[in-house]
Amino acid sequence: MDWVIPLLTLTAMEIVLGIDNIVFISILVQKLPEAQRAFARTLGLSLAMGMRLVLLFCITWVLSLATPIFHVTDLGIPAGWIEAMQPQGDDALAATEAKHRFDEMNGISVRDLIMLLGGLFLIGNSVLEIHHKLDGANEKHTEPKKVTLKSILIQITLMDIIFSLDSVITAVGMAKEIWVMCTAVIISIGIMIFFAGTVERFVNKNPTVKMLALSFLILIGVLLVAEGLGTHMNKGYIYFAMAFSLAVEMINIRLRRATESNVPANPAH
């Protein structure tokens, strides 16, 4: 029964890592007609599950993606610039840490390029969506741009590749048996599919929550860019900040509803 704790832990971790995926899909599918949204959500998350499973069975190849294919200094960038960004210290431990971080920032792997491009795509997509929402009030007279199911699925697939790569690398570090990893992925995606509709409807119903979700995706995009540039950040800080912001927004929503329900109706004249 040594597999129980790793399975439960990994499943919970996969769900947490999948939050950004489900938020991204929920916002994207809102551009589709109501009749196509459930299909797009389910297919998008199913693709995510399929990619994770394929990558798990190709784990040796996935781990090889972290091997540097070229170095920043090869492009003519002085090594001193990279060294200046490293923490300074006189002891041997600090020197070793600085050397390790220098090697990470100097070496660029396929994984780094995927993370970098994926982060830029996520930031750009989220910023454009926020811009669209802010200008929506001034564009009511214009014809809304047609969005096809195919275009939405292409965007979902592109981000599935990024999120799946990150998810699989995390899974390898938390479990040893391949079947435990696969089971955790299947369970976590099943849970996300079950709750995806609820999340999408809640985000669509509350514009402020949607803005919060888009801001969260920008943060995730910045995190991916930082990862691609060799700077590792603790995701727990971002997820905690998002959870705290969501909790505050939930209080604001309840307060607004309570205030609206207590406003007396205007007496008839």
Side-chain angles (χ1 to χ4, degrees):
M1 299 293 287
D2 295 339
W3 53 268
V4 175
I5 299 301
L7 177 61
L8 295 176
T9 305
L10 186 54
T11 300
M13 183 60 69
E14 288 290 331
I15 293 174
V16 172
L17 292 176
I19 291 175
D20 40 17
N21 200 348
I22 196 173
V23 169
F24 180 77
I25 291 176
S26 297
I27 292 176
L28 272 185
V29 299
Q30 289 178 12
K31 301 176 182 180
L32 294 172
E34 183 70 31
Q36 295 181 335
R37 292 179 184 177
F39 172 75
R41 283 195 311 266
T42 303
L43 182 57
L45 289 171
S46 298
L47 287 172
M49 181 175 66
M51 289 182 188
R52 283 164 167 79
L53 294 177
V54 170
L55 290 175
L56 281 172
F57 284 105
C58 302
I59 194 60
T60 302
W61 174 75
V62 171
L63 294 179
S64 71
L65 295 178
T67 304
I69 55 177
F70 67 91
H71 296 83
V72 174
T73 50
D74 295 337
L75 304 177
I77 297 177
W81 292 7
I82 304 177
E83 292 173 351
M85 294 185 284
Q86 310 309 319
Q88 303 299 319
D90 298 328
D91 59 330
L93 182 61
T96 302
E97 177 65 20
K99 178 64 168 58
H100 176 69
R101 292 194 60 184
F102 175 85
D103 291 339
E104 284 191 332
M105 296 185 69
N106 188 32
I108 303 298
S109 64
V110 175
R111 176 182 179 272
D112 293 333
L113 294 176
I114 293 175
M115 291 293 181
L116 180 60
L117 295 176
L120 292 174
F121 172 78
L122 192 56
I123 292 172
N125 194 291
S126 301
V127 169
L128 287 175
E129 185 67 21
I130 291 176
H131 178 73
H132 172 72
K133 291 299 177 185
L134 291 177
D135 289 349
N138 299 325
E139 298 177 354
K140 291 182 178 179
H141 59 280
T142 61
E143 185 72 20
K145 186 178 179 180
K146 300 273 185 190
V147 178
T148 63
L149 177 62
K150 181 180 178 180
S151 65
I152 294 297
L153 289 178
I154 290 175
Q155 294 182 65
I156 291 175
T157 302
L158 290 175
M159 289 314 302
D160 277 345
I161 295 174
I162 311 300
F163 293 136
S164 296
L165 187 63
D166 191 34
S167 172
V168 167
I169 293 175
T170 301
V172 173
M174 297 184 64
K176 296 180 180 179
E177 296 86 355
I178 188 71
W179 71 267
V180 172
M181 303 180 204
C182 293
T183 303
V185 166
I186 294 172
I187 294 175
S188 60
I189 294 294
I191 293 174
M192 285 190 281
I193 289 176
F194 182 79
F195 287 104
T198 303
V199 173
E200 189 262 325
R201 286 188 293 272
F202 177 74
V203 171
N204 192 35
K205 184 178 179 182
N206 299 278
T208 54
V209 173
K210 185 170 184 177
M211 282 296 178
L212 196 62
L214 288 168
S215 301
F216 169 63
L217 291 177
I218 291 177
L219 282 177
I220 295 298
V222 171
L223 180 65
L224 291 175
V225 170
E227 290 276 348
L229 295 176
T231 302
H232 299 291
M233 302 170 62
N234 192 333
K235 295 180 182 178
Y237 295 126
I238 292 182
Y239 286 117
F240 175 79
M242 184 61 191
F244 181 78
S245 301
L246 182 60
V248 172
E249 184 56 30
M250 293 297 294
I251 295 174
N252 286 333
I253 290 174
R254 293 196 62 179
L255 181 61
R256 285 195 296 268
R257 290 176 179 174
T259 303
E260 292 172 358
S261 63
N262 291 329
V263 174
N266 294 327
H269 296 289

